[in-house]
Amino acid sequence: AQIMFDQFVSSGESKWLRKVEIFNNIIEKLDGYVLLADIDELQIWPAEPKDLVTKYGDVIGGELQDRFAENKLPKQVENTPSIFKQFPHKSNYIKEQLNQYTHKPCVFHSSYRLENSHDLLLCCEPVKYFVYLNIAHFPWNLKREEKAKQRIEAHKKDGGNYRESELILKLLYNGE
């Protein structure tokens, strides 16, 4: 089996469409399966990915669940204790407060394409998939404030919607 690692680092500007385009360009060159994860996600696999694909089909989806440190305040990620002990509180903040999608394709065959970070296309048609995995989501660290401020500035320049980033800053400063 061949494993290829690739990364996309955004500059803080509104570039999610470009990110999807880059990922799809990589995916179309592959023959096999794609495992997709962001740096702030930890997918919790109850079995080997290949066993789940054999059992459930060409797409294995997951559901994001935010993890917060004490008092919902951002903190520096340390080597110890485990990340789950550093961020012990579970929340559906991104779904309930930011109204964002929490489903995500984790493994899928390379015949699929990303429509966005959460949805797939097959032959240009939307694909519904089942969620089999829990994904621990750790975005609430000290880097989140800087990222939110960069996004606000970028969206102000390009006329985009920066409400989400403002809500994130409110959470970081007020612990709401």
Side-chain angles (χ1 to χ4, degrees):
Q2 179 184 4
I3 298 176
M4 181 178 93
F5 292 97
D6 214 323
Q7 69 177 8
F8 175 83
V9 179
S10 73
S11 66
E13 293 180 22
S14 175
K15 295 194 174 198
W16 68 269
L17 285 174
R18 179 73 179 124
K19 175 178 145 178
V20 169
E21 179 184 349
I22 289 169
F23 283 170
N24 282 332
N25 287 338
I26 293 168
I27 293 165
E28 73 183 22
K29 295 174 185 160
L30 301 176
D31 181 26
Y33 286 86
V34 176
L35 190 147
L36 185 65
D38 286 352
I39 189 118
D40 62 355
E41 299 170 2
L42 181 61
Q43 299 174 356
I44 302 166
W45 288 83
E48 290 290 326
K50 65 180 178 179
D51 295 338
L52 293 179
V53 166
T54 300
K55 184 174 181 177
Y56 297 116
D58 282 343
V59 180
I60 304 298
E63 182 81 19
L64 294 163
Q65 184 169 53
D66 286 332
R67 300 291 297 230
F68 285 92
E70 295 296 329
N71 302 320
K72 291 188 178 177
L73 297 174
K75 72 176 285 319
Q76 178 67 37
V77 178
E78 305 292 340
N79 290 334
T80 58
S82 82
I83 195 165
F84 290 98
K85 288 183 179 175
Q86 293 179 59
F87 295 84
H89 301 289
K90 297 177 183 179
S91 170
N92 291 318
Y93 184 82
I94 61 170
K95 184 176 190 173
E96 294 169 358
Q97 300 298 316
L98 301 179
N99 208 22
Q100 289 185 343
Y101 294 133
T102 55
H103 65 279
K104 182 160 189 169
C106 297
V107 166
F108 54 93
H109 192 269
S110 59
S111 56
Y112 293 83
R113 295 295 174 265
L114 293 168
E115 181 174 18
N116 54 51
S117 297
H118 299 273
D119 297 305
L120 293 173
L121 299 170
L122 182 62
C123 301
C124 300
E125 294 295 323
V127 174
K128 292 201 183 285
Y129 58 89
F130 291 101
V131 169
Y132 298 103
L133 306 180
N134 292 317
I135 305 171
H137 190 219
F138 300 93
W140 310 108
N141 58 61
L142 289 181
K143 294 182 180 183
R144 189 62 181 205
E145 178 181 358
E146 178 184 338
K147 186 175 179 181
K149 287 179 178 178
Q150 287 175 345
R151 282 184 173 174
I152 289 171
E153 289 305 311
H155 285 302
K156 282 181 177 178
K157 286 180 188 173
D158 67 16
N161 183 351
Y162 49 89
R163 180 182 173 276
E164 172 193 326
S165 295
E166 286 181 330
L167 288 171
I168 289 169
L169 288 178
K170 181 179 176 184
L171 170 74
L172 295 176
Y173 286 119
N174 300 328
E176 295 177 1

